[in-house]
Amino acid sequence: MNPPSYRATVAALATGQLICWAALYYGFSSFVLPMQRALGWSKPQMMGAFTAGLAVWGATTYAAGAAIDHGRGRAVMTLGAALAGLGFLVWSRADSLGWLYAAWLLLGAAMAMTLYEPAFNVLTKRFPLQYREGITTLTLVGGFASTLSFPAVAWLIRALEWRGALAVIGAVLLLAIAPLHAWALKGTPTQDAPPRPHDSADDATLHEALRERSFWLLTATFTLYSFAAAALWAHIMPAFAAKGLSEASALAVVVWFGPAQVAGRFAFLAFGRWVSIRTLGLIVLAGLPLSLAIFALADSVFALLLFALLFGLANGLVTIVRGNLVPEYFGREHVGRISGAMSAIALLSRAAAPLLTAWLLLALPGYRELLLGLAALGVVAVIAYALARPPSADQ
């Protein structure tokens, strides 16, 4: 069984990332208002389903990483896309909260098996000489996921109603993306030996990484970032509505997230060799609290567009930072387990964000105060990252 080339593998995985992110992560917010109108469920009830899915994502991400470390990356990513398709099909038939929550339990497991982290880890394992370029390419293509998701889902809902839209998305994941993952990851690729042999004995195990101060500071960084970003994505369309913007006006703003993400990643591709990952992280993490503060206080289209561009840049580049930090700080041998453990903690925070912020809105005057609070969490994330020095520097 001849494996696909490096370029073919990266192209296939990039396509999978584009569709999986657009469907699994960005799509939920677009279905909140149609489902609320059709079924009468409250926002906290619906956000609870999204939260349950994100909790399963966090709880299963370590297992997915460990399976990839054991050479089962193809099975993980193929099954993940298939589960995603089944989850959307179950969601499309949901007529009670129980079925909605059941669908999101499936979708949460699918997230752990498909979204960025497993793809990064598979590339790191399969192409140790080119994984950095591969990760950047995946994030370049995946950066268009939000740009694809919001208008595509809006069009599907108008054409097919919300149940039909969900069924179409499920069919694409099950019948197109799952087979694509299976094809892209077949066989074992070969590469020339690196100019300087890599000694895997020098790489940190998970147990060793857990004893490092930098592991916990980085985990705190991405936990806070994940909470704030997840809260924004879950509430973004209702937040625009609270500002008095129509759906068309809101879409005119959110479509800029993707281009901004991709522009930032292209800039990294062109100039990243002159900027260390650590320095890049400090710069882009600062974009989160700044963009959230702008969104909270914005009262003009120009300010909202500035928010979209800043948040898109930060959200795009932070993915590259996260994808490269684990092998750079702790080595490649146990990258699946270490990144899985780090992500699990951050993802549990992400899981709590939609529901906690939905309940918090009941006590706050409105979205402005919520967004300013999320901006404050972003500032704390920047501080934690600044304190996280590479393990060798800690000794």
Side-chain angles (χ1 to χ4, degrees):
M1 185 165 56
N2 295 324
S5 67
Y6 166 76
R7 289 182 181 275
T9 299
V10 170
L13 292 181
T15 301
Q17 291 302 299
L18 175 66
I19 302 302
C20 287
W21 273 101
L24 288 164
Y25 192 66
Y26 295 112
F28 179 83
S29 183
S30 296
F31 288 99
V32 170
L33 296 179
M35 290 177 66
Q36 190 173 34
R37 287 192 294 266
L39 301 169
W41 297 335
S42 69
K43 284 193 182 74
Q45 286 175 320
M46 288 183 289
M47 293 299 172
F50 193 41
T51 291
L54 294 178
V56 172
W57 183 4
T60 55
T61 191
Y62 174 80
I68 291 170
D69 280 348
H70 283 101
R72 300 189 183 98
R74 185 184 187 218
V76 167
M77 296 202 68
T78 302
L79 179 58
L83 281 179
L86 290 174
F88 270 90
L89 293 176
V90 172
W91 186 7
S92 73
R93 307 307 302 165
D95 56 7
S96 69
L97 284 171
W99 279 110
L100 177 64
Y101 277 66
W104 272 96
L105 294 181
L106 290 175
L107 293 172
M111 286 176 166
M113 300 166 75
T114 57
L115 298 187
Y116 276 154
E117 205 79 39
F120 292 168
N121 294 339
V122 165
L123 282 180
T124 301
K125 291 285 188 179
R126 290 174 71 88
F127 302 103
L129 303 184
Q130 296 170 284
Y131 75 91
R132 292 181 186 275
E133 294 86 349
I135 287 174
T136 302
T137 300
L138 292 190
T139 60
L140 281 171
V141 177
F144 285 109
S146 61
T147 301
L148 169 67
S149 179
F150 291 107
V153 171
W155 181 83
L156 284 172
I157 291 173
R158 285 195 298 270
L160 303 171
E161 303 291 341
W162 65 272
R163 291 188 187 276
L166 289 169
V168 168
I169 294 169
V172 170
L173 290 164
L174 185 62
L175 302 177
I177 304 304
L180 184 64
H181 283 173
W183 172 81
L185 299 177
K186 68 179 182 179
T188 302
T190 58
Q191 286 196 311
D192 295 332
R196 291 184 299 173
H198 174 74
D199 188 355
S200 62
D202 293 335
D203 294 349
T205 65
L206 174 62
H207 182 68
E208 291 167 341
L210 290 173
R211 297 202 301 265
E212 295 288 350
R213 179 171 176 261
S214 56
F215 174 91
W216 294 105
L217 285 169
L218 290 176
T219 299
T221 297
F222 296 116
T223 295
L224 293 169
Y225 185 97
S226 295
F227 184 94
L232 176 65
W233 286 122
H235 289 278
I236 190 164
M237 297 308 283
F240 276 118
K243 286 181 174 290
L245 269 73
S246 65
E247 180 185 51
S249 297
L251 289 173
V253 174
V254 299
V255 294
W256 287 100
F257 288 145
Q261 288 184 158
V262 173
R265 290 165 181 171
F266 269 121
F268 173 78
L269 198 61
F271 307 110
R273 71 189 70 179
W274 293 291
V275 181
S276 71
I277 289 295
R278 176 175 165 78
T279 300
L280 178 67
L282 283 171
I283 296 170
V284 302
L285 283 168
L288 175 70
L290 180 58
S291 63
L292 290 174
I294 291 173
F295 188 27
L297 304 173
D299 57 4
S300 68
V301 174
F302 174 79
L304 290 172
L305 289 174
L306 181 59
F307 147 72
L309 294 174
L310 282 175
F311 182 76
L313 285 168
N315 204 50
L317 289 171
V318 78
T319 306
I320 292 177
V321 171
R322 191 181 69 243
N324 284 281
L325 273 177
V326 171
E328 183 169 300
Y329 273 48
F330 304 107
R332 298 193 306 266
E333 185 68 15
H334 305 283
V335 65
R337 293 178 179 86
I338 295 172
S339 63
M342 187 180 292
S343 295
I345 299 170
L347 288 170
L348 289 175
S349 170
R350 176 181 286 180
L355 183 59
L356 285 180
T357 48
W359 282 109
L360 191 57
L361 278 169
L362 300 178
L364 292 173
Y367 275 106
R368 176 181 177 181
E369 290 74 17
L370 176 65
L371 291 165
L372 289 175
L374 295 176
L377 291 182
V379 172
V380 178
V382 173
I383 295 171
Y385 183 87
L387 295 173
R389 299 177 61 80
S392 59
D394 290 338
Q395 300 171 354

